[in-house]
Amino acid sequence: MKKIFIFALLAALILACGDKKESPSEKIKRERKEKAEKQASQVDNGLGIGEITEVKLNDPLDQDMVKRGKAIYEMKCAACHKLKGSRVVGPSWAGLTSLRKPEWIMNMITNVEIMLAEDPTAQKLLEECLTRMPNQNVSIGDARDILEFMYQNDLDNPTK
Amino acid sequence: MNSRVLLKPILTSLLAFILAAGLGLALRWAFVIDMPVWFDYKNIQHAHSHVALLGWLFAIFCLCAIHFFDLDFGRYARLYWALQGCVVGMLLTFPIMGYASLSIIFSTAHIVLSYFLAYRIWKDVGGRKKDDGVSVLFLKSSLFFMVLSTLGTWALGPIMAAGLKGSALYYASIQFYLHFQFNGWFIFAMIALVLAIFEKRGIAMDPSKIKLFYRLLLLATLLTYALAITWSTPYFSIFVINSIGVLLQLLSLVVFMKLLYDQRQNIRGVFSDYTYRMFGIAFLALVFKVVIQTVVVIPALAEVSYTIRNFVIGFIHLLMLACLSLFALGCIGRVFQRSLHIYGTWTFISGIVLSELLLFVQGIMVWQGWGIMSNYYLMLASASALILLGIVLIFVDLYGKRRSITESSISN
């Protein structure tokens, strides 16, 4: 039984490395080159990829939005993101609003899969965290509330 | 089989469990306070999962297989200690460096050594009397899955080298390993151990029903890997494959319950109160697991099950703690023919129940938009503390009684 299994495994490996027009490693190299060229041609403007192209910020912050945003944070975000201190599952939100543009943040929340697939900053974070942020199905209005809460959080917990 | 020679190995596996529980508590504590700078959550999580899975569950299931299938531990001693040595290596390297050269060396060494162990058990347990019963079939299948699962870990090397870290294939490989470890190796081993005990006590089960149970479960185990794929590749056809697997799994459970029910009088007499209770709770947890998997066949619920972290963590620990670990404690009781520390056991179980309730209830609250419980993270950490305390009490009690255990010659 074991011999059959080993034989089958070897056969599968040999078949997988079969004679094709473009070998798998060549294909991967070509795709990587194309991807790098595509990314170089796109100017990373830090806005992220998604529906959000411009966010109007409030000064002073809208406290109703902050309250709603906090409630959503506690339910959908707190399991992975802390408000201050270091990263747990996902990055901490300390100083987030100074670090990232508001458009990026909202695109990250509302367009997670595309961001993880194509945005260079998101991909760098993914390499550090190794856990893929799941799509929490947050509406744009809710994401805006979360963003307001983030601004409040950075006021409450200023990073040195 | 003389149980006294298993005392030290079993104590070390319990020690690994304590360490894993301690790391788990630290992980939960990270949500309550700001941890010091050197506390890297990801790295500590790696240490926690590796020590728990390899230092505790892997070790204790191997030791129980050796005991309940009447193997000679002397033939496995060096392998066992080498394997635990690798776990120590992982315990020391993961928290500091995460997945890096040294920690990878230790985890790879563990895999390679496990192949030798699996091979030796396979050889030692096979080719004996013709009427060896289906327990051996389940044990061999569990070893097959143990080895098969490691294909997932080997695949990670080339996948990362191809720059595909974090890709769908990357996660599919990890899930391959986890799925066949949990649902293949451990579940089949658990059933094998139970059947071995039955066979030794002359409890005869309907051979055609057992064969049916085996085939259903085997196929189900293979097919239900599909769920892990749907996360990245949510094609309808893949959901269907998983659904078929889940249905087969449900059927297999029904067949198994019928098998047990037919022999219920005899079965009760085979186990001590302690072991019977532990096995009973473990079985209940297994039923929950199957029910949850059945419910998650609905694609909308499947999505919920992996977007809400509570459910992911809750489900894993339902299997690891409520099912497999409680089962293992029941086995240890049987090996040494005594109840383990009763307060420790109940503290342990309370911790698990509290943790699971918090996770699932809060998960549902998140799903329905009902907000978060006050002091949720503190309560969760407290549940972890109970789990740790329980295992510590059990360990200390067993360690304290080691003289009386080694002094009496115990047979199975």
Side-chain angles (χ1 to χ4, degrees), chain A residues 1-2 5 9 28 31-32 35 70-71 73-90 113 116 123 126-137, chain B residues 30-36 39-42 45-46 119 122 144 147-148 151 161-168 170-171 231 303 306-310 365-366 369-372 377:
Chain A
M1 161 86 184
K2 224 164 52 75
F5 175 68
L9 189 63
I28 288 169
E31 282 177 346
R32 256 200 273 177
K35 191 175 173 199
K70 180 161 192 255
Y73 160 76
E74 281 174 345
M75 276 204 311
K76 294 197 165 184
C77 321
C80 299
H81 298 277
K82 289 179 69 179
L83 294 176
K84 52 187 174 114
S86 51
R87 168 163 60 90
V88 281
V89 185
E113 288 113 340
L116 287 176
Q123 287 172 326
L126 179 58
E127 294 229 346
E128 287 169 15
C129 302
L130 278 186
T131 310
R132 290 184 75 93
M133 174 164 153
N135 182 358
Q136 298 288 344
N137 292 312
Chain B
F31 282 87
V32 178
I33 61 159
D34 286 336
M35 299 302 258
F39 183 90
D40 185 312
Y41 187 89
K42 197 87 217 156
Q45 191 183 289
H46 283 316
Y119 181 75
W122 182 289
F144 168 74
V147 172
L148 179 72
L151 284 181
L164 290 170
K165 187 179 187 185
S167 68
Y170 171 83
Y171 287 103
W231 165 86
E303 214 212 326
Y306 45 66
T307 51
I308 299 181
R309 189 174 168 77
N310 287 32
M365 287 168 71
V366 167
W370 292 340
I372 188 169
Y377 291 105

